[in-house]
Amino acid sequence: MMDLLIPDKTHDESRQGEALMLEQADNKYNGRKLYIESYGCAMNFSDSEIVASILLNKGFETTTDYNNADVVFINTCSIRENAEQRVRNRLKEFTVAKVKNPGMIVGVLGCMAERLKSKFLEEEKLVDVVVGPDAYRDLPNLIDQVDDGARAVNVLLSREETYADINPVRLNSNGINAFVSIMRGCDNMCSFCVVPFTRGRERSRDPQSIINECQSLFDQGYREVTLLGQNVDSYKWKPTVEGDSISTDEIKGTNFAQLLEMVALISPELRVRFSTSHPKDITDEVLYTIAKYDNICNYIHLPVQSGNSRVLELMNRTYDRDWYMDRVNAIRRIIPECAISTDVIAGFCTETEEEHQETLSMMDFVRYDYAYMFMYSERPGTLAAKRFADDIPDTVKNRRLNEIVNKQRQHSHERLQAQVGKVKRVLIEGFSKKSTNDYCGRSDQNAMVVFPVTENYKPGQYVNVLVERCTTATLIGKVV
Ligand code: SF4
């Protein structure tokens, strides 16, 4: 899970399709300004683009300054307690703006809205609207209710909603990389996780709508799409059968490997990434598809969570240590150059010292390129909160987390050092953070690469970069 705050910015002016939609928009909301801020995982950032699309179609404009906004939305994450605390702190700041501008509507979207429902309105008196992840189509109606003096809530979860027909407005876009949501929800019920409760049951989006969206992005100049889902490996779409005019292929439907291939075939110049994989579901068919197409990036995010089989069972991850190692071996065999990243939880309920050591030894076995590492944080309503005591003292969790972080630092550095002397194909994303004399972009394996600007190339183009050295997080080289 990403833990980023990305302030919104006005949508890309080059997008003529959106301009056209704005002309056709409903006059009622014309000129009202929307500010939207997103927390948490990539799905939330992608959802904010759907929310913006729904409201821009109604005549709203976006603004980057919440002080000037008529509607301020915060798209929230519930994955850990500190993520929720950050949202509450941010709401306090919006409160100050609302005192100056009493007409401002403040809304909470996403997982925290779904988890707390109308309780949110009791807890946070200045919040006007609470909307869960499956109810964004209802936003104009909910805004109307607030305009009429009410406070509004819609947290209904759906078994069908995929927003397949909504063309997201690309917020905060560099015009090169875009997220494309391919499914919603999760059926896995990992015992530590709130997602099944906040995002509902798993459902896959019609592949043709995904291909159309990716093709349209490519036509607009985007060169990388990341296909998003909580568990992309269980993507499965079947058409609704009406009558008997359906072919055998259609009846079988589309799985994730087939979808990956369909997206890869749009153009060899369009890079394809995906996230997140589940170790129990990632198939050799997916791995062979990645190996077959140069434009499907050699990078897999494969959350391990723990290296110990008993803890994995308590987490309800439905795989054990041996199964996970077998999947890693399959990745190494079929895609030898593949980078692997992971999520790790330190100090899950009842985890012993020996079991923690097994997590460290799993890290030694895989040698992850990158990891998102956290102390276990009990979330209300989850299976773990109901069944197990959160019994590992914070000092112990902290020490175990530090051991995990230190090991990962060493592995990340080693993995980068192994790239020195190699030539990597890099998609230029823009200037490096430190200097306009350097470009930055990502390698196929998702490593950040920095190299001097050369006149012949610009962002959105691919270059071959000879890696000359590395820091702890970046490869540095020159175009060859
Ligand atoms: S796979 Fe597990 S951790 Fe991931 S979203 Fe689903 S329940 Fe949560």
Side-chain angles (χ1 to χ4, degrees):
M1 301 277 179
M2 287 192 299
D3 215 359
L4 298 173
L5 164 62
I6 302 183
D8 173 24
K9 70 175 185 185
T10 308
H11 66 289
D12 184 347
E13 288 169 6
S14 68
R15 298 196 47 165
Q16 293 172 0
E18 282 153 24
L20 185 65
M21 286 193 293
L22 278 174
E23 278 170 25
Q24 296 166 342
D26 198 330
N27 292 337
K28 190 163 111 188
Y29 305 95
N30 273 2
R32 288 178 84 175
K33 290 195 173 57
L34 166 71
Y35 174 88
I36 183 163
E37 194 169 282
S38 309
Y39 291 80
C41 67
M43 283 297 284
N44 255 10
F45 287 84
S46 175
D47 277 3
S48 291
E49 299 184 335
I50 287 167
V51 168
S53 176
I54 290 167
L55 293 181
L56 263 64
N57 268 309
K58 289 286 178 188
F60 276 83
E61 296 167 11
T62 53
T63 174
T64 53
D65 181 1
Y66 66 81
N67 289 298
N68 295 332
D70 300 294
V71 174
V72 172
F73 283 150
I74 184 160
N75 197 349
T76 60
C77 171
S78 278
I79 200 85
R80 281 179 298 284
E81 197 178 331
N82 66 359
E84 291 200 352
Q85 196 49 51
R86 283 170 68 192
V87 166
R88 289 188 192 279
N89 292 343
R90 194 63 174 146
L91 281 171
K92 288 196 182 86
E93 290 172 37
F94 295 153
T95 302
V96 177
K98 189 162 167 155
V99 169
K100 284 191 212 146
N101 174 10
M104 177 191 280
I105 293 175
V106 175
V108 178
L109 316 179
C111 290
M112 223 174 144
E114 192 64 50
R115 191 177 83 71
L116 292 165
K117 303 185 171 57
S118 51
K119 230 173 112 196
F120 219 119
L121 296 182
E122 291 156 31
E123 289 178 15
E124 303 282 346
K125 297 285 179 230
L126 283 148
V127 171
D128 305 292
V129 195
V130 174
V131 192
D134 286 347
Y136 297 144
R137 285 181 202 269
D138 197 28
L139 276 168
N141 173 42
L142 297 169
I143 289 170
D144 286 349
Q145 288 179 34
V146 178
D147 285 344
D148 291 342
R151 297 168 89 197
V153 180
N154 187 342
V155 288
L156 281 179
L157 288 173
S158 159
R159 282 180 177 252
E160 284 93 35
E161 181 62 89
T162 60
Y163 301 109
D165 57 316
I166 292 179
N167 195 12
V169 171
R170 304 292 159 186
L171 299 169
N172 217 50
S173 170
N174 61 3
I176 297 164
N177 328 84
F179 292 131
V180 175
S181 170
I182 63 165
M183 58 199 297
R184 300 181 72 79
C186 184
D187 284 348
N188 280 317
M189 299 302 283
C190 298
S191 65
F192 54 81
C193 185
V194 288
V195 165
F197 307 100
T198 58
R199 291 192 160 264
R201 299 302 297 270
E202 198 168 280
R203 62 226 105 112
S204 298
R205 180 178 165 192
D206 179 341
Q208 197 51 54
S209 74
I210 297 169
I211 302 305
N212 293 347
E213 186 176 333
C214 294
Q215 179 71 59
S216 155
L217 286 164
F218 182 72
D219 295 343
Q220 291 164 52
Y222 285 81
R223 288 296 172 264
E224 185 177 284
V225 289
T226 302
L227 308 180
L228 289 182
Q230 304 295 346
N231 177 9
V232 290
D233 299 293
S234 63
Y235 174 87
K236 186 81 193 167
W237 189 84
K238 282 190 182 180
T240 313
V241 182
E242 273 173 26
D244 47 357
S245 60
I246 194 156
S247 72
T248 316
D249 278 353
E250 282 175 314
I251 289 167
K252 274 195 267 162
T254 307
N255 67 17
F256 182 57
Q258 292 160 334
L259 178 73
L260 257 186
E261 181 161 44
M262 289 156 78
V263 178
L265 286 170
I266 288 173
S267 167
E269 294 295 299
L270 180 68
R271 266 187 174 177
V272 188
R273 297 188 187 276
F274 56 90
S275 186
T276 295
S277 294
H278 195 298
K280 85 171 156 56
D281 293 319
I282 190 165
T283 60
D284 285 1
E285 188 190 1
V286 167
L287 302 181
Y288 282 116
T289 307
I290 298 169
K292 184 174 168 189
Y293 293 95
D294 284 345
N295 57 328
I296 304 180
C297 290
N298 289 345
Y299 169 68
I300 297 175
H301 184 65
L302 195 69
V304 65
Q305 309 298 4
S306 166
N308 172 264
S309 295
R310 187 192 73 90
V311 174
L312 287 169
E313 196 177 340
L314 291 186
M315 289 176 165
N316 199 28
R317 291 289 288 172
T318 65
Y319 56 86
D320 61 12
R321 180 180 172 90
D322 288 345
W323 175 279
Y324 188 91
M325 290 166 110
D326 173 76
R327 292 293 76 208
V328 171
N329 284 335
I331 294 170
R332 299 279 183 238
R333 185 176 73 247
I334 298 167
I335 323 163
E337 289 284 301
C338 194
I340 306 177
S341 62
T342 201
D343 298 336
V344 188
I345 296 174
F348 187 69
C349 314
T350 74
E351 182 189 67
T352 65
E353 213 48 50
E354 291 71 31
E355 290 165 343
H356 163 63
Q357 290 299 324
E358 283 209 77
T359 297
L360 295 174
S361 71
M362 177 68 91
M363 295 173 74
D364 283 330
F365 171 76
V366 183
R367 304 195 103 71
Y368 294 107
D369 293 75
Y370 191 79
Y372 299 88
M373 300 155 283
F374 307 102
M375 286 200 300
Y376 173 60
S377 156
E378 184 179 273
R379 307 306 298 127
T382 56
L383 298 182
K386 286 179 194 152
R387 289 182 191 162
F388 313 124
D390 179 10
D391 58 352
I392 307 299
D394 277 357
T395 48
V396 175
K397 283 184 187 171
N398 215 349
R399 194 251 309 146
R400 289 181 188 170
L401 178 63
N402 279 336
E403 288 172 12
I404 289 167
V405 168
N406 288 338
K407 188 169 280 295
Q408 185 51 46
R409 254 192 215 127
Q410 179 199 332
H411 289 165
S412 294
H413 196 217
E414 280 171 20
R415 295 284 294 169
L416 288 177
Q417 274 176 326
Q419 305 299 319
V420 175
K422 293 184 180 171
V423 174
K424 311 303 295 179
R425 186 166 150 88
V426 176
L427 174 60
I428 308 175
E429 293 182 9
F431 293 119
S432 86
K433 273 190 196 146
K434 289 190 183 153
S435 164
T436 52
N437 293 327
D438 291 325
Y439 276 145
C440 70
R442 290 192 180 268
S443 72
D444 187 309
Q445 287 94 349
N446 210 31
M448 183 54 79
V449 186
V450 172
F451 50 95
V453 168
T454 56
E455 277 179 12
N456 302 336
Y457 297 102
K458 57 182 198 309
Q461 290 184 318
Y462 294 95
V463 279
N464 289 326
V465 176
L466 172 65
V467 179
E468 296 175 313
R469 61 194 172 89
C470 70
T471 66
T472 49
T474 309
L475 300 174
I476 298 165
K478 65 176 182 207
V479 174
V480 289

